[in-house]
Amino acid sequence: MIIADYHIHSRYSHGIGTILENAENAQKKGLKEIAITDHGFGHSFFSMKHRDIPKIRADIDEAQKKTEIKIYFGIEANFISTTGEVDISQSDLQQLDIVLVGHHRFVESSLKDKFTYLLPNIVLGRYVSERVKQKNTAITLAAMEKYPIDILTHLNYQFPIDVRQVAKKAKQTHTFFELNEYKVNFLSPSDFEILIEEKVDLVINSDAHCPKRIGCFRNALEAVEKYKVPKEQIVNWDKVPIFKKFNKDLK
Ligand SMILES: [Zn+2]
Ligand SMILES: [Zn+2]
């Protein structure tokens, strides 16, 4: 059973619920831990705002007290450049408990990066050339070297990547590879074979934008059954992980 959900959007970006409403729904679903992970600062339409950081932390503290659910202050940051930059600064990292990063189409980036990274993916989607796919992969790997990323969100959705290369790097850098409830089907049967072969740590997340969707994992669980993913490989299956910031073994 999945006992934690580490990818949730609140009103502070694209979600519709308050942090307390999210926590209360997580409690109803029997979850032990959640993370509030609003969109990164560079998202063109739905970014979290720096000025809201103290308020988010206060809301988390309050919701944690009222529900007794462990709540992490996270972010779903964005890849923004071909050299693997992500839209979070060192001082942002100090404020955050966990870091999720995903490829998103509408982010603030230089004109050059718009043309070489974002546009080819926006125009061609899953039909991009091998060259673009390798570039998406290189961006992902470079960011994993530069930032303490805990979870890579919905890989292969809109931005195809080489799953083998990312899985290997994820294993080396203690990064979790997400099975996203809405987007898990963008991973092919052979992608699942690779994830199992490489024994990469997987995390099942709802990516809920409304409190009622928290803890809904039907598609992800169907994929786990279908492809016979070992439960031990799933970090939030009957257990919870230690994220990078709190893991003394990784320092
Ligand atoms: Zn996303
Ligand atoms: Zn999301």
Side-chain angles (χ1 to χ4, degrees):
M1 192 185 145
I2 299 300
I3 60 167
D5 189 348
Y6 300 116
H7 186 167
I8 294 167
H9 297 277
S10 80
R11 264 189 207 170
Y12 287 106
S13 68
H14 196 201
I16 59 168
T18 63
I19 290 174
L20 181 59
E21 286 163 350
N22 281 305
E24 285 169 345
N25 274 276
Q27 191 181 35
K28 272 188 211 148
K29 299 279 171 73
L31 299 180
K32 305 266 180 275
E33 295 190 354
I34 58 170
I36 300 297
T37 56
D38 280 304
H39 284 292
F41 306 107
H43 198 288
S44 307
F45 308 118
F46 307 118
S47 67
M48 184 201 304
K49 303 288 179 276
H50 280 105
R51 62 170 181 272
D52 286 333
I53 288 178
K55 183 88 178 66
I56 296 173
R57 180 60 81 184
D59 285 6
I60 285 177
D61 289 346
E62 186 205 348
Q64 208 162 226
K65 272 194 207 115
K66 287 194 173 151
T67 60
E68 292 180 6
I69 287 199
K70 165 95 190 150
I71 308 174
Y72 289 100
F73 182 5
I75 190 168
E76 185 184 16
N78 304 289
F79 295 101
I80 52 169
S81 83
T82 51
T83 49
E85 302 304 321
V86 166
D87 58 349
I88 30 179
S89 66
Q90 278 305 318
S91 68
D92 296 333
L93 284 172
Q94 282 168 9
Q95 314 276 338
L96 297 162
D97 301 325
I98 72 170
V99 177
L100 283 60
V101 185
H103 292 276
H104 295 97
R105 288 174 162 184
F106 302 106
V107 296
E108 300 304 315
S109 61
S110 71
L111 204 56
K112 181 169 164 272
D113 289 316
K114 277 201 169 65
F115 276 99
T116 54
Y117 161 50
L118 298 169
L119 259 181
N121 286 288
I122 291 171
V123 174
L124 296 165
R126 66 167 78 183
Y127 304 106
V128 293
S129 64
E130 187 59 28
R131 200 174 60 86
V132 174
K133 184 172 159 178
Q134 287 305 327
K135 186 171 273 178
N136 293 341
T137 307
I139 289 169
T140 313
L141 301 182
M144 289 159 88
E145 290 283 344
K146 286 183 195 184
Y147 298 87
I149 302 175
D150 292 289
I151 298 174
L152 292 163
T153 63
H154 51 65
L155 287 170
N156 250 0
Y157 170 66
Q158 294 178 336
F159 292 75
I161 47 118
D162 182 322
V163 171
R164 174 83 66 187
Q165 288 187 55
V166 175
K168 279 188 190 296
K169 179 67 90 182
K171 190 82 194 158
Q172 277 169 21
T173 55
H174 304 278
T175 308
F176 306 151
F177 194 112
E178 182 183 67
L179 303 182
N180 183 298
E181 171 63 7
Y182 290 110
K183 293 152 187 167
V184 69
N185 294 326
F186 288 88
L187 295 168
S188 69
S190 63
D191 292 338
F192 270 95
E193 253 173 54
I194 293 168
L195 293 174
I196 295 167
E197 257 172 48
E198 298 293 340
K199 298 188 171 63
V200 54
D201 287 324
L202 303 171
V203 59
I204 292 182
N205 284 328
S206 70
D207 198 357
H209 286 59
C210 110
K212 275 194 296 210
R213 303 293 304 168
I214 289 176
C216 296
F217 306 120
R218 202 178 61 127
N219 297 325
L221 293 175
E222 267 177 27
V224 164
E225 280 306 309
K226 188 169 165 192
Y227 300 114
K228 300 188 171 50
V229 179
K231 308 290 186 292
E232 312 78 68
Q233 227 178 303
I234 301 168
V235 299
N236 53 345
W237 190 289
D238 285 338
K239 57 189 177 299
V240 292
I242 305 172
F243 290 104
K244 284 185 176 157
K245 195 165 195 173
F246 310 98
N247 192 338
K248 291 186 182 70
D249 295 342
L250 296 178
K251 295 216 163 118

